[in-house]
Amino acid sequence: MAFKQITSPHAHAAQNTSKVMQLVLWATVPGLAALTIQFGWGSLINVVLAVVTAVACEAAILKLRKRPVAFYLQDYSAVVTAVLLGLALPPLAAWWVVVVGSMFSIIIAKQLYGGLGYNPFNPAMVGYVVLLISFPIQMTTWITPLSLLPDGVSHPGIIESLGIVFGGYSPADGVTGATPLDVFKHSSGLVVDQIYESNPLFSQAAFAGVGWEWVNLGFLAGGIVLLATRIFTWHGPVAMLAAIAVMSLLFWDGGSSESPGSPLMHLFSGASMMGAFFILTDPVSSAVSNRGRLIYGALIGVLVYIIRAWGNYPDAVAFAVLIANFAAPFIDNYTLPRTYGHTDRRRATEKEED
Amino acid sequence: MRSTWVTPGGVHPPENKHQSVTMPIGSLPIPEKLLVPLSQHIGAPAKACVKVGTKVLKGQKIADATGAVSVPMHAPTSGTVTAIEDRPIAHSSGMSAPCIEITTDGKDTWIEHKGVVDFEHASPQALTKTIADAGIAGMGGAGFPSAIKLSPGHRRPINTLIINATECEPYITADDSAIRERAAEIITGIGILSHILGNPVNILIGIEDNKPEAIAALEPHVADTGISVVSFPTKYPSGGEKQLIYILTGKELPSGQLPADAGMVCINIGTTYAIKRAVVDGEPLISRVTTMTGNACGINRNYETLIGTPVSHMLAHSEFNEHACSRLVMGGPMMGFSLTSAEVPIVKTTNCILAPSYSEIPDDEPAQACIRCGMCAEACPASLLPQQLFWYSQAEDHDRLEAHNLFDCIECGACSYVCPSNIPLVQYYRSSKGEILKAREEKVKSDHARERFEFHQQRMEQAEKDKEAKRAARREAAEKAKATVAANSGTEKEGTGPVPGSAADIIAAAQARAAAKQVSPEEQQAKFERSIAGAEMRVQMATDKLAETNAKQTEDQKNILNAALEGAKQKLEQAQARLAEHVKKHSEQVK
Ligand code: SF4
Ligand code: SF4
């Protein structure tokens, strides 16, 4: 009788990488649903387009790199990257915007660095930032939320949406508009109360900004599911959201005309929740230890706020995440956990004393 | 209830313990042949004290302990020694090692033996010696000679005796069933330990709460003994010595220290039973409880198994289906190692033979890239960062690995267990540890060599300087002498005598020195002969040592010994050559 030689452990938990990724995909559903309800078919089209492009690129590159294509595609990581990019892009963006972004994410930001597990930057955010810098107009045109559409105007239907995306037709008047973060960016001179009264984005909102509050709640719900299933730990997301809250409280300034907006508005606007639960939790490009992730998350939160309040862009999750990606290895060096039986934490760069 | 502490990390693999406890501990027919490896423990292998053909009785010593850290071996049943040679043994690398093969006679005749019932009146030293002579080594897994643990020395008083009844690995129920059936004897064993250690203040039996029957079995026996049964939530790997110490005492064992340094002794509960048998009944360790389990076997149960029983013998009596078996594991599914052959014997540390079916433990899926998800870090009981260790292990970055405390990894496998990318992390850690240890050894060696070289260099320089100084002194003296001679010749008329330190004097002195140094040819020959005798002795010693340690030592050690032998031989040859030359020269001179 001869038996196989296999190293321990022999037992293995049922979890595997493709299941983890699939769970992440499922968790984006509430956010995607909210986006679709509030802003029409655009986000769904973005997602599909991005996924098709990403999978095609991933397969092509794997083939070029002579890797088993099917085996690596099964990890679903390309799909996750594409879905997140598609969710971040403005609905009804032209098809080539989505395709270019998706290609960039997969080919440059992921595969050129060695594929899954080796990319130092979040691929979806690299794609996003490249687009934002290259096509600022397309990237900052948002759709008006459902309840604020002018009378008689509705979001384009699925066919019409496809026409806009692929045919280059312009959407009807009133379908595109500002986001809450835009409003604050461009409303110098008004105190917060005035903005809230004068702008229907706020005056008709439940607590943060029409449409956006639901989208953020959707991502929050998905994020909580992932937390509960232990796909990631709470450290990163909580640190980021806490940092945003603290920063916006510190600079709330009593709602003066200088105020960049309330904590609630910042937490539930733009990509706050999506960033906290789906972007900075990308494990590959984040810090590794729990303490490291606290610092990493807080850093992103602070950066998001700084760029929103005083930078040139209304939203900043992508920039903040990329900057923090740079810092992650550095953070890792100083945030090793204290090992059993040691009185101190060590530094990763420590050398054994001879 | 005593409070317990919660370790970080840990995992909850399916326990799969119920299968093997439906029946009481059974026994197998005596196999035709038993194969007793000479090394079943940590430390030096035992040395056979029987010969092929020797008839042995059950319990008779067949191999002596060698050196301080070692245990003897005993015949598990009566029969005849039919071979003493290298055989494949259970080892993670599938290697062969010296074994004593006993062809059994089926009579199972005991050698005469006797124990001491009133052990309280025996001296701890005598009891420790009994335990050492019974060949008892830790039966929980590592196999460290128990007697050594029980002699921590006076400088390390023991205040806590921890009995490890955790049995945290899935499937294994050897300790569980032993406790259920033999609680009284186990408690006696603990009493012996307590007596040897000077009655430590705390005696704690640490047990996971998934063994209520075992806990219930212990309870009545510990009343009024000062022993506490401490149960705590089931989690793998609570049974690691370091983990258990923390769970029971809230103290962490400082990295690199032994429990005894912290006033603790940790003994597996199966070992306490063996200790009771050894002391009270006078029986050496010749059998143990081993769990035979896994779906590839129709019968799952615990057996009192003779040491040396081939695994195939167990399988043959357990309705084993080879084709259904995905792998054969000695030990549990987390830390056990796979056997490539079923002919290897059960040893003193074998608590389980696991023969799972493909649906139970399927073949490993190919590893995917590490996505740095951190699940491994969440599972690690030592609070390491397994993903970083993996990364630096691949990069062979030894400095980073050490900075990340690779050597505090207990190889529990919790990280690999949870890794969604199926990365065999522990395998990487093992090989990195090996590489680092090797590099350290080499560094020590090269440091030695360097020091020696530098010392030699220094000495040469110093000698050169001394010579130079002497030469200078001589030159000076010669010049002075010359000058004096010249002066003398100039002042001869003045009639002064020869001046001390003249050229003639110097030459005379030098000749005298040379004469003094020159020993007689006979003396020289005697000196050479002495050095030859010395060298011969060293060669003999090196050869002996090598023969003694051969085969059972690691390659490295063998290499070192071989090198020593070679060196000694060379010295001998040199000495002989010198003598030959001397004799030749001398005889020529005589002619
Ligand atoms: S669990 Fe596996 S994939 Fe996840 S970080 Fe650890 S090694 Fe990497
Ligand atoms: S094997 Fe080592 S690194 Fe992995 S969980 Fe166990 S102690 Fe931690």
Side-chain angles (χ1 to χ4, degrees):
Chain A
M1 282 185 274
F3 300 91
K4 274 165 274 185
Q5 183 161 6
I6 307 161
T7 57
S8 65
H10 304 281
H12 196 267
Q15 200 64 279
N16 65 45
T17 298
S18 72
K19 273 195 215 153
V20 170
M21 297 285 179
Q22 287 173 49
L23 207 66
V24 172
L25 289 176
W26 282 112
T28 62
V29 169
L32 177 59
L35 275 169
T36 308
I37 293 167
Q38 296 295 333
F39 301 106
W41 294 103
S43 290
L44 198 59
I45 298 174
N46 281 349
V47 165
V48 173
L49 201 52
V51 167
V52 172
T53 313
V55 171
C57 289
E58 178 109 332
I61 298 281
L62 286 172
K63 194 140 192 127
L64 273 178
R65 291 177 64 202
K66 301 203 172 47
R67 301 291 151 96
V69 177
F71 175 72
Y72 281 101
L73 280 187
Q74 264 169 22
D75 64 30
Y76 282 85
S77 62
V79 180
V80 169
T81 298
V83 167
L84 295 179
L85 178 69
L87 292 172
L89 294 178
L92 299 182
W95 65 270
W96 49 266
V97 171
V98 182
V99 169
V100 168
S102 190
M103 285 174 68
F104 211 90
S105 292
I106 297 298
I107 299 177
I108 309 283
K110 182 178 171 193
Q111 289 292 349
L112 280 194
Y113 280 103
L116 179 60
Y118 296 93
N119 46 298
F121 302 106
N122 184 316
M125 291 301 103
V126 172
Y128 184 88
V129 163
V130 166
L131 293 177
L132 188 56
I133 293 171
S134 318
F135 315 112
I137 312 266
Q138 286 85 343
M139 288 295 288
T140 47
T141 313
W142 265 89
I143 305 295
T144 311
L146 182 64
S147 58
L148 296 186
L149 288 170
D151 282 343
V153 181
S154 60
H155 284 139
I158 180 85
I159 305 291
E160 200 188 338
S161 297
L162 289 171
I164 295 169
V165 170
F166 290 98
Y169 302 110
S170 329
D173 267 358
V175 167
T176 58
T179 67
L181 289 171
D182 288 334
V183 171
F184 267 87
K185 189 104 256 170
H186 304 296
S187 64
S188 41
L190 294 177
V191 300
V192 171
D193 279 345
Q194 288 171 316
I195 301 178
Y196 269 52
E197 267 165 36
S198 63
N199 197 308
L201 262 175
F202 297 105
S203 56
Q204 294 183 26
F207 57 91
V210 173
W212 290 96
E213 52 199 22
W214 292 108
V215 171
N216 275 279
L217 278 177
F219 285 118
L220 175 61
I224 288 173
V225 169
L226 292 182
L227 265 184
T229 47
R230 292 167 185 253
I231 297 299
F232 47 71
T233 60
W234 57 269
H235 304 79
V238 168
M240 170 180 165
L241 297 175
I244 292 184
V246 168
M247 288 296 282
S248 46
L249 261 181
L250 278 180
F251 296 97
W252 166 235
D253 202 18
S256 75
S257 57
E258 295 295 312
S259 173
S262 74
L264 217 49
M265 196 274 294
H266 276 285
L267 288 175
F268 286 91
S269 289
S272 294
M273 290 297 167
M274 178 178 163
F277 291 101
F278 291 88
I279 303 296
L280 74 67
T281 49
D282 162 38
V284 178
S285 55
S286 92
V288 280
S289 66
N290 287 340
R291 235 166 46 113
R293 284 180 179 172
L294 276 178
I295 298 174
Y296 175 81
L299 176 66
I300 292 177
V302 170
L303 286 170
V304 164
Y305 186 81
I306 290 175
I307 301 175
R308 277 184 186 174
W310 303 294
N312 266 333
Y313 292 89
D315 201 358
V317 170
F319 287 112
V321 167
L322 291 185
I323 294 170
N325 287 165
F326 273 111
F330 180 75
I331 296 174
D332 285 343
N333 281 348
Y334 296 94
T335 50
L336 298 192
R338 185 188 65 82
T339 306
Y340 178 105
H342 289 255
T343 43
D344 298 311
R345 301 166 183 279
R346 300 183 71 170
R347 265 180 301 115
T349 45
E350 230 171 75
K351 291 254 179 357
E352 282 296 290
E353 61 284 6
D354 301 86
Chain B
M1 240 188 75
R2 270 188 82 95
S3 54
T4 54
W5 283 258
V6 179
T7 51
V11 291
H12 297 273
E15 290 176 13
N16 283 310
K17 287 181 185 264
H18 56 277
Q19 302 95 313
S20 49
V21 284
T22 52
M23 285 182 278
I25 300 172
S27 59
L28 295 162
I30 295 173
E32 219 172 284
K33 283 184 172 156
L34 292 173
L35 201 58
V36 182
L38 290 176
S39 182
Q40 308 183 16
H41 52 270
I42 288 178
K47 193 172 171 194
C49 59
V50 288
K51 296 221 157 50
V52 174
T54 310
K55 288 228 179 322
V56 292
L57 292 173
K58 179 171 185 158
Q60 178 179 341
K61 187 157 77 169
I62 54 175
D64 289 312
T66 53
V69 185
S70 184
V71 295
M73 303 293 161
H74 302 81
T77 184
S78 54
T80 313
V81 175
T82 41
I84 302 177
E85 60 190 25
D86 281 10
R87 293 287 178 83
I89 58 158
H91 188 273
S92 46
S93 67
M95 66 177 200
S96 292
C99 296
I100 299 178
E101 186 192 71
I102 297 173
T103 301
T104 58
D105 61 12
K107 295 189 198 120
D108 209 26
T109 326
W110 265 102
I111 194 166
E112 213 173 297
H113 59 286
K114 190 162 115 298
V116 281
V117 181
D118 54 344
F119 61 83
E120 289 95 341
H121 301 297
S123 76
Q125 286 75 17
L127 291 176
T128 310
K129 183 161 185 309
T130 308
I131 291 170
D133 290 343
I136 296 174
M139 290 159 77
F144 191 77
S146 301
I148 297 176
K149 274 196 190 178
L150 297 175
S151 326
H154 293 299
R155 260 173 302 145
R156 298 185 295 183
I158 299 302
N159 54 40
T160 307
L161 169 62
I162 293 178
I163 305 300
N164 191 345
T166 320
E167 205 162 46
C168 60
E169 276 236 27
Y171 284 101
I172 310 178
T173 55
D175 288 344
D176 187 3
S177 56
I179 300 169
R180 293 185 196 195
E181 297 178 31
R182 303 166 176 177
E185 286 178 278
I186 285 171
I187 299 297
T188 308
I190 297 174
I192 296 170
L193 291 173
S194 167
H195 176 61
I196 292 176
L197 294 170
N199 300 310
V201 191
N202 301 307
I203 305 177
L204 312 171
I205 303 179
I207 187 164
E208 287 187 334
D209 62 6
N210 61 353
K211 294 183 258 301
E213 295 88 349
I215 297 172
L218 285 170
E219 291 292 357
H221 297 282
V222 297
D224 308 322
T225 56
I227 303 172
S228 326
V229 179
V230 187
S231 80
F232 46 86
T234 303
K235 178 165 87 173
Y236 179 84
S238 301
E241 193 168 72
K242 294 174 169 187
Q243 279 63 39
L244 185 60
I245 286 175
Y246 183 75
I247 292 171
L248 295 182
T249 68
K251 289 191 197 126
E252 286 184 18
L253 207 54
S255 180
Q257 283 198 13
L258 296 172
D261 298 325
M264 302 186 212
V265 165
C266 224
I267 301 263
N268 166 266
I269 198 153
T271 315
T272 65
Y273 174 75
I275 286 172
K276 185 263 162 184
R277 301 293 287 196
V279 171
V280 179
D281 308 283
E283 294 175 7
L285 175 53
I286 50 172
S287 70
R288 64 156 299 143
V289 181
T290 302
T291 309
M292 175 74 245
T293 186
N295 273 347
C297 283
I299 303 173
N300 284 191
R301 78 184 289 189
N302 285 286
Y303 293 103
E304 183 70 39
T305 318
L306 296 178
I307 304 298
T309 303
V311 172
S312 57
H313 181 76
M314 279 190 102
L315 294 174
H317 290 86
S318 305
E319 300 173 5
F320 175 62
N321 176 356
E322 191 186 341
H323 301 291
C325 182
S326 66
R327 57 184 86 181
L328 189 61
V329 179
M330 184 173 275
M334 299 300 287
M335 290 182 82
F337 46 88
S338 63
L339 301 176
T340 48
S341 151
E343 295 315 312
V344 300
I346 302 290
V347 295
K348 293 176 180 176
T349 52
T350 310
N351 47 12
C352 181
I353 296 294
L354 172 61
S357 67
Y358 282 94
S359 60
E360 255 179 317
I361 298 187
D363 283 345
D364 286 344
E365 281 173 38
Q368 286 169 291
C370 167
I371 53 170
R372 298 164 74 73
C373 61
M375 290 185 190
C376 47
E378 289 296 301
C380 179
S383 301
L384 298 168
L385 292 174
Q387 69 274 56
Q388 299 295 81
L389 290 175
F390 168 60
W391 184 271
Y392 294 125
S393 174
Q394 276 186 314
E396 295 181 13
D397 188 337
H398 292 178
D399 282 335
R400 287 288 173 115
L401 283 171
E402 297 212 32
H404 281 79
N405 293 329
L406 172 66
F407 282 89
D408 288 293
C409 164
I410 58 167
E411 300 182 13
C412 66
C415 51
S416 316
Y417 175 78
V418 296
C419 175
S421 288
N422 288 308
I423 303 172
L425 296 163
V426 182
Q427 199 183 333
Y428 282 92
Y429 307 153
R430 273 194 207 117
S431 73
S432 285
K433 281 183 189 172
E435 277 164 27
I436 292 176
L437 288 179
K438 213 163 112 198
R440 273 192 206 162
E441 238 169 61
E442 266 157 28
K443 186 164 178 319
V444 170
K445 262 192 237 160
S446 71
D447 279 355
H448 271 309
R450 201 186 54 228
E451 270 163 30
R452 263 207 315 269
F453 176 74
E454 278 168 5
F455 181 65
H456 179 73
Q457 202 76 350
Q458 242 174 8
R459 231 178 28 199
M460 297 292 279
E461 272 165 29
Q462 194 55 45
E464 194 53 39
K465 266 191 217 143
D466 289 350
K467 259 191 223 157
E468 188 52 43
K470 267 190 204 149
R471 251 180 254 140
R474 262 204 305 268
R475 218 179 300 133
E476 213 178 295
E479 251 146 49
K480 238 199 207 154
K482 236 191 256 166
T484 334
V485 170
N488 276 353
S489 59
T491 53
E492 229 171 359
K493 283 165 228 155
E494 282 163 27
T496 43
V499 182
S502 70
D505 272 358
I506 294 166
I507 292 162
Q511 275 173 346
R513 265 204 313 275
K517 247 192 194 166
Q518 188 88 43
V519 281
S520 74
E522 287 73 32
E523 263 176 76
Q524 189 122 21
Q525 185 161 349
K527 202 172 125 201
F528 280 135
E529 277 164 359
R530 268 201 310 276
S531 71
I532 288 176
E536 270 171 352
M537 203 174 73
R538 271 193 292 278
V539 170
Q540 191 51 45
M541 260 160 57
T543 318
D544 284 354
K545 215 183 207 166
L546 189 64
E548 195 181 296
T549 44
N550 230 341
K552 54 204 174 196
Q553 298 290 20
T554 66
E555 262 323 289
D556 275 2
Q557 280 166 309
K558 250 194 257 176
N559 287 341
I560 294 169
L561 288 173
N562 266 325
L565 177 59
E566 275 313 303
K569 275 189 187 153
Q570 263 170 27
K571 286 243 172 67
L572 177 61
E573 271 163 31
Q574 278 168 13
Q576 278 164 340
R578 241 180 278 144
L579 175 66
E581 200 183 322
H582 171 78
V583 171
K584 200 165 127 219
K585 217 159 83 190
H586 187 59
S587 59
E588 270 167 13
Q589 267 175 23
V590 171
K591 266 187 239 160

